[in-house]
Amino acid sequence: MQFAVLMGFVLAASSPLLNRWFGERTSLLLALFPALIAGWLLSQAPLVFSEGPQLLEWEWVPSLGISLTFLLDGLSLLFGLLITVIGTCVLIYAGGYLKGHHDIARFHLALVAFMASMLGLVLADGLLTLFIFWELTSITSYLLIGFNHTDIEARKSARQGLFVTVAGGLALMAGLVLLGVASGSWSLYEILQSDDDLRQHALYTPLLICLLLGAFTKSAQFPFHFWLPNAMAAPTPVSAYLHSATMVKAGIYLLARLQPELGGTGMWVTVLSVVGATTMLTGAFLAIHHTNIKKLLAYSTIMALGTLTMLLGIGSDYAMTAFVTFLLAHSMYKGALFMVAGILDHETGTKDVTAMGGLRSVMPVTAVIAFIAALSLSGMPPLFGFIGKELMLEAALGAERVQLLLVLFAFLAAILTIAVAAVIALRPFYGARHETPKTPHEAPLSMLIGPGLLAFGSLALGLAPAMLGADAMLTSAATAVSGGALPVSLSLWYGVNVALIMSVVSLILGFLLFKRWDSVRGQLARLAPVMRYGPEAGYEGLMNGIVRFSEWQTRLLQNGYMRNYILVMLVVLIALIGNSILLRHSPQLALTLDVRFHEVIVVATMAMGALFATISRSRLGAVVSVGIMGFSIALIFILFSAPDLGITQLLVETMTVILLVLVLFRLPRFSNLSTNLERIRDGSVAATMGVLIFLLIMTAWSIDQFETISTYMVENSAPLAHGRNIVNVILVDYRALDTLGEMFVLALAAIGVIAMLKLRHGETEGKAVDGEKASVKEPYDG
Amino acid sequence: MEPLMALAIGLLYATAIFMMLRRSIVKLVIGLLLLSNGANLLIFTTAGMTRGAPPLIPEGMMQPLGDVADPLPQAVVLTAIVIAFGVLAFAVVLIRRAYEIVKADDLDKMKDTDT
């Protein structure tokens, strides 16, 4: 299994090469990959059915205890098969759809990488492995939405999808870490097997909120649903694959995966059912606004995702059965419908269903496929979608909380969905022929295989669910989702019950709505001013706000004035250090002044030097004052047992003064550029900092956190290092590397100085040749 | 002695920072010089000040006589003095060069990367 997932990434990386070698056949070749994995998954199915979850472990970083473990149970098997089977269809389809596209290699790369990531996501056992694959699907989705990168809308939509899902990903990461901490295990299998009840854990609420945020953003739940319709900027095979059948179900997968461990609490049930039902109705309601066939399908996908979330929220056995059935049914018909939408777009050159009509005669096969898939979408017998919808209505009727709301929403959504299905299946193919930008032909075989397979699959599964192994598959998946054994036995006929009556009524109402769709749309257009204030406006506002905020703070902080940078740093420093000194240590201000007269004189001289350097109005005066200060410091060193320091200070100070005097008169004169107000401000900041340093020193003496290490140095200086001057021994022996570093610094400074001087010479000569400004510059003689 | 030194170091820091906040580039150099001296004294002083007991070991002995001043801060400060000089030399030349090219002694006029 590891091999299969990793192979996917290798294959993705090599797809440019494959494209070069195999040209147009590459799509077919790549389609072999998911097909083979699907075959392998099917071969594992009996084992999973009979013996339960299988763990496949592979040590990754054994020293850190990180292993790449995959978990194969009913749920991941179902998802894995969806990913690989629909992936095969989509790859074959994409070969026809993007035939001759100059960038098809990039498309293959991202699509196959997505496939591998998605497989990794649904098979991962480790929480962090799951997170990594989760983020990989977000990134590949970003690349695929923005595939037409010359189109600004595509780029914008890609970014929006990325921001929303990755922001959710951050929450998910926090949630997974909390889950790992709360359960004490990083393996999904262990978490699901353990007897600990996480529902009682103190971290349950925060971890659930984080996980839900991650799942809701990924699966486009209200109010994060807005990115999904925009993601339709992607090429249609991508929409069919990522944004209906697989990726958007990752959030659903996560919720289903954790349902046995976290589900069933009041919070879980209420949040999931209400959010799910709201998403369901919002999606269905917004769908009928649109005439763009892909948008119609996108909103109907949101409706389906909401339904799945709602079913997970309800959490009864019935709901679990409905969940797995609806999941399978939706992936199949929605994948097929998206591909049909792609065919229509490809052949007619428009995505607007109102601009199409009467295509039945030129595209009979497509029309049949669309009709079957749309029947499944609308939930008509004998299609698989019918079973899914019946179970869903039944589950809503049996909900323990907010039952009325769920039933009402489900009923309304069903009516709207039927209208949407009718629009897609009937509008383009019946009625009068319209002129379209391109003259339509029947789609090539490669584009019909995928949707055809999925559509007829829906039909076959509906007619004979038991025969085709769907029962066994769904039993296994439902068992994984509910946490206990849950046999699923599907059939088309459950007898006359409330759900069936609701179905029939919604069918009639939905068809009426379809008949009056054009006028209803006109009425709905009046709502446009209100619709502008949706969640997407909130997203836009947030994004613009972030940009404005960063502009503002960049202007404020990165203003290019060095003294402002210094001021900001100082004020922060004063606040932090001052706060710490005053609150956590009371500085020892008991002054025990043990001073001699000559010491006071030396320190006073030094202080005078520093002060005078500040107030001096001439450069020379300042240099002399600094010199006096430096020599006083040398005296202080000598007086207080540091002869080496004293000597060094004397030497360096002498050189400093010489250097300053030499260069001084080539430097500009002192100028007073600041206003008095600025001087007062700077002066008070400087004085505060001075006081702070004073307090810091006074505090430092009263704190003794570590034993001094110099005792060791003093004791071993002569015996081990054979040196009598301990300071020198430290420099050349104990801390020899420091000294080496110091030498490097000095050498670098010297090289820098030389470079700058040399550079000047070269430039002067160059300018002199040009005859420009040469006379302005003084020749350099030092 | 230490409280007196603490006061003096506080003064050094205050003057250094005041000078570094000026717009004149020469004053910036003076500020840099004051600051490095202040920092050296800070390290030196916080280890405690000892009179007349340099960290030396007399000829023929393995340990110093009695308690001596802490040698470690001295070694650190020694390194710092030399580095400070290197930095100063570099800064002076850099500023001189900048002045030559920009023809401005006002740091506020040097805020653009293009001249």
Side-chain angles (χ1 to χ4, degrees):
Chain A
M1 198 66 244
Q2 293 87 350
F3 174 75
V5 172
L6 297 181
M7 190 60 207
F9 288 109
V10 175
L11 208 61
S14 56
S15 70
L17 261 187
L18 293 176
N19 265 292
R20 193 168 299 164
W21 290 339
F22 297 99
E24 280 176 8
R25 279 163 297 167
T26 317
S27 285
L28 284 177
L29 192 76
L30 286 173
L32 277 178
F33 162 69
L36 283 175
I37 295 183
W40 183 84
L41 283 171
L42 280 176
S43 75
Q44 295 294 306
L47 194 67
V48 176
F49 294 162
S50 58
E51 297 185 14
Q54 304 287 312
L55 269 185
L56 305 122
E57 201 162 348
W58 181 48
E59 297 278 314
W60 191 3
V61 190
S63 56
L64 291 176
I66 299 176
S67 59
L68 197 57
T69 309
F70 286 117
L71 170 66
L72 190 62
D73 68 352
L75 185 65
S76 41
L77 188 68
L78 176 64
F79 265 94
L81 279 172
L82 283 178
I83 292 163
T84 47
V85 172
I86 299 182
T88 312
C89 298
V90 163
L91 268 171
I92 297 172
Y93 176 82
Y97 186 81
L98 287 174
K99 189 171 183 173
H101 193 287
H102 63 282
D103 242 356
I104 195 163
R106 185 157 60 84
F107 178 82
H108 282 145
L109 195 156
L111 195 73
V112 176
F114 164 77
M115 197 180 285
S117 315
M118 193 65 205
L119 262 181
L121 167 61
V122 298
L123 293 168
D125 177 56
L127 295 181
L128 296 181
T129 323
L130 183 137
F131 174 73
I132 290 169
F133 284 120
W134 179 286
E135 292 296 72
L136 278 174
T137 60
S138 291
I139 293 167
T140 40
S141 157
Y142 166 73
L143 293 174
L144 285 167
I145 300 174
F147 178 68
N148 293 322
H149 56 77
T150 47
D151 176 12
I152 186 168
E153 281 306 313
R155 292 202 305 270
K156 229 172 102 183
S157 305
R159 211 162 48 228
Q160 189 185 54
L162 186 75
F163 278 142
V164 175
T165 51
V166 169
L170 273 181
L172 175 79
M173 183 168 71
L176 289 176
V177 169
L178 284 173
L179 180 62
V181 171
S183 64
S185 165
W186 296 91
S187 151
L188 277 171
Y189 181 73
E190 282 173 24
I191 292 174
L192 293 173
Q193 294 292 314
S194 78
D195 300 326
D196 295 350
D197 194 356
L198 282 177
R199 296 175 187 87
Q200 308 297 328
H201 200 281
L203 287 175
Y204 177 77
T205 309
L207 82 82
L208 187 62
I209 290 174
C210 289
L211 290 175
L212 289 184
L213 274 177
F216 285 178
T217 47
K218 192 82 164 178
S219 287
Q221 299 294 307
F222 183 85
F224 307 112
H225 61 275
F226 56 87
W227 72 267
L228 187 58
N230 292 333
M232 295 302 132
T236 305
V238 174
S239 308
Y241 192 36
L242 274 70
H243 303 120
S244 75
T246 56
M247 189 190 86
V248 287
K249 295 211 174 82
I252 305 288
Y253 165 79
L254 183 78
L255 295 178
R257 174 55 81 208
L258 295 170
Q259 141 85 21
E261 195 58 38
L262 302 176
T265 60
M267 186 177 163
W268 172 283
V269 173
T270 315
V271 173
L272 262 69
S273 343
V274 172
V275 170
T278 311
T279 310
M280 176 171 76
L281 189 61
T282 312
F285 175 68
L286 290 177
I288 57 164
H289 282 69
H290 290 269
T291 56
N292 178 325
I293 187 163
K294 283 184 78 179
K295 295 257 172 178
L296 265 168
L297 287 170
Y299 280 109
S300 113
T301 303
I302 291 175
M303 174 260 161
L305 294 170
T307 309
L308 289 167
T309 307
M310 179 189 82
L311 290 172
L312 282 173
I314 295 171
S316 61
D317 281 0
Y318 222 96
M320 293 300 117
T321 312
F323 171 77
V324 289
T325 315
F326 193 83
L327 176 77
L328 178 59
H330 174 259
S331 295
M332 292 176 74
Y333 66 66
K334 197 51 70 64
L337 283 176
F338 262 110
M339 289 191 246
V340 168
I343 293 175
L344 290 174
D345 177 22
H346 196 257
E347 296 301 326
T348 63
T350 174
K351 291 192 181 80
D352 192 344
V353 278
T354 54
M356 304 175 206
L359 292 172
R360 183 175 37 136
S361 51
V362 280
M363 305 166 79
V365 185
T366 311
V368 170
I369 292 172
F371 190 71
I372 294 174
L375 275 186
S376 194
L377 164 67
S378 60
M380 296 266 253
L383 283 114
F384 198 55
F386 169 71
I387 306 181
K389 191 176 118 186
E390 290 299 288
L391 287 168
M392 185 268 280
L393 287 173
E394 197 73 54
L397 285 166
E400 284 168 12
R401 289 182 188 230
V402 288
Q403 185 226 24
L404 199 65
L405 177 91
L406 299 190
V407 173
L408 181 68
F409 278 22
F411 182 62
L412 289 176
I415 298 174
L416 294 163
T417 306
I418 286 160
V420 169
V423 167
I424 295 166
L426 306 178
R427 192 70 187 241
F429 299 102
Y430 294 85
R433 269 296 290 276
H434 287 264
E435 279 306 310
T436 49
K438 276 165 121 180
T439 315
H441 303 283
E442 184 58 272
L445 185 63
S446 60
M447 290 174 74
L448 291 173
I449 290 178
L453 202 68
L454 293 175
F456 283 98
S458 296
L459 184 61
L461 281 180
L463 288 171
M467 223 156 61
L468 289 165
D471 272 3
M473 178 72 67
L474 294 180
T475 299
S476 171
T479 304
V481 180
S482 69
L486 180 56
V488 174
S489 168
L490 302 176
S491 74
L492 279 172
W493 184 249
Y494 287 101
V496 178
N497 53 22
V498 184
L500 186 70
I501 295 167
M502 279 170 72
S503 273
V504 175
V505 176
S506 64
L507 196 67
I508 298 164
L509 290 176
F511 198 73
L512 288 176
L513 182 62
F514 163 68
K515 281 289 175 202
R516 302 183 52 87
W517 184 50
D518 289 315
S519 65
V520 168
R521 232 176 38 244
Q523 302 282 319
L524 286 172
R526 287 201 220 144
L527 282 175
V530 188
M531 306 295 277
R532 271 194 289 129
Y533 299 101
E536 188 168 6
Y539 165 85
E540 297 290 345
L542 183 70
M543 284 299 152
N544 292 335
I546 289 173
V547 171
R548 268 202 302 278
F549 174 75
S550 62
E551 269 173 5
W552 168 79
Q553 65 99 22
T554 308
R555 265 202 308 278
L556 186 75
L557 296 175
Q558 307 286 321
N559 48 26
Y561 295 110
M562 192 181 78
R563 61 205 153 84
N564 284 1
Y565 298 156
I566 300 181
L567 261 182
V568 169
M569 282 189 260
L570 284 176
V571 169
V572 172
L573 206 64
I574 289 170
L576 292 180
I577 300 183
N579 177 50
S580 176
I581 287 184
L582 293 178
L583 293 184
R584 295 166 57 191
H585 315 277
S586 37
Q588 304 289 315
L589 289 176
L591 302 177
T592 45
L593 268 179
D594 160 35
V595 288
R596 316 260 159 92
F597 181 65
H598 63 276
E599 292 167 359
V600 177
I601 296 293
V602 173
V603 174
T605 315
M606 182 196 80
M608 294 304 290
L611 261 182
F612 196 69
T614 320
I615 48 181
S616 166
R617 286 182 171 275
S618 80
R619 294 168 292 178
L620 192 62
V623 170
V624 170
S625 313
V626 166
I628 291 172
M629 177 203 68
F631 289 119
S632 311
I633 291 176
L635 268 179
I636 293 175
F637 286 148
I638 293 169
L639 284 175
F640 289 93
S641 316
D644 299 284
L645 283 187
I647 297 165
T648 317
Q649 176 80 15
L650 270 179
L651 280 173
V652 166
E653 205 52 46
T654 314
M655 289 204 288
T656 307
V657 171
I658 293 174
L659 175 81
L660 285 179
V661 169
L662 274 180
V663 184
L664 197 67
F665 293 100
R666 303 189 180 280
L667 290 179
R669 289 179 183 284
F670 269 12
S671 43
N672 275 328
L673 300 163
S674 322
T675 61
N676 278 333
L677 201 66
E678 282 173 333
R679 245 174 253 136
I680 291 169
R681 179 196 62 189
D682 297 348
S684 45
V685 171
T688 317
M689 195 65 199
V691 171
L692 198 70
I693 294 289
F694 168 71
L695 290 176
L696 186 71
I697 301 173
M698 299 308 284
T699 314
W701 281 314
S702 60
I703 301 167
D704 229 352
Q705 282 195 314
F706 304 101
E707 206 181 319
T708 172
I709 53 167
S710 22
T711 324
Y712 170 85
M713 295 172 170
V714 172
E715 276 169 6
N716 293 301
S717 178
L720 289 183
H722 306 288
R724 305 196 173 279
N725 183 335
I726 303 169
V727 175
N728 285 5
V729 169
I730 291 175
L731 284 176
V732 298
D733 194 314
Y734 296 122
R735 306 185 59 81
L737 270 180
D738 270 6
T739 311
L740 188 68
E742 179 195 356
M743 281 153 71
F744 274 122
V745 172
L746 280 185
L748 275 178
I751 292 171
V753 168
I754 292 172
M756 276 192 282
L757 295 181
K758 289 278 178 204
L759 201 68
R760 185 189 171 281
H761 274 295
E763 193 181 295
T764 312
E765 282 157 22
K767 289 269 167 79
V769 171
D770 293 347
E772 278 178 16
K773 291 183 190 170
S775 56
V776 183
K777 299 207 170 183
E778 328 135 279
Y780 188 71
D781 54 4
Chain B
M1 190 60 203
E2 282 89 351
L4 183 64
M5 285 303 291
L7 272 176
I9 295 166
L11 181 78
L12 275 187
Y13 267 85
T15 51
I17 286 163
F18 183 74
M19 288 303 261
M20 289 177 78
L21 289 172
R22 306 271 54 77
R23 281 161 63 181
S24 155
I25 47 174
V26 189
K27 288 185 176 173
L28 180 70
V29 177
I30 303 282
L32 205 62
L33 199 62
L34 289 167
L35 189 68
S36 60
N37 276 311
N40 289 346
L41 277 181
L42 175 75
I43 299 170
F44 185 70
T45 310
T46 40
M49 318 237 338
T50 320
R51 290 192 185 87
L56 299 170
I57 301 168
E59 199 64 39
M61 296 184 72
M62 281 293 140
Q63 301 298 330
L65 287 168
D67 282 341
V68 291
D70 194 339
L72 190 58
Q74 294 193 15
V76 174
V77 171
L78 197 96
T79 311
I81 292 174
V82 179
I83 300 247
F85 176 70
V87 172
L88 181 81
F90 186 79
V92 166
V93 178
L94 183 69
I95 279 173
R96 163 150 174 62
R97 181 88 190 124
Y99 176 56
E100 233 172 47
I101 292 172
V102 185
K103 301 253 175 287
D105 62 341
D106 184 354
L107 276 172
D108 283 10
K109 293 188 181 142
M110 295 191 182
K111 64 187 282 246
D112 299 318
T113 44
D114 304 317
T115 54

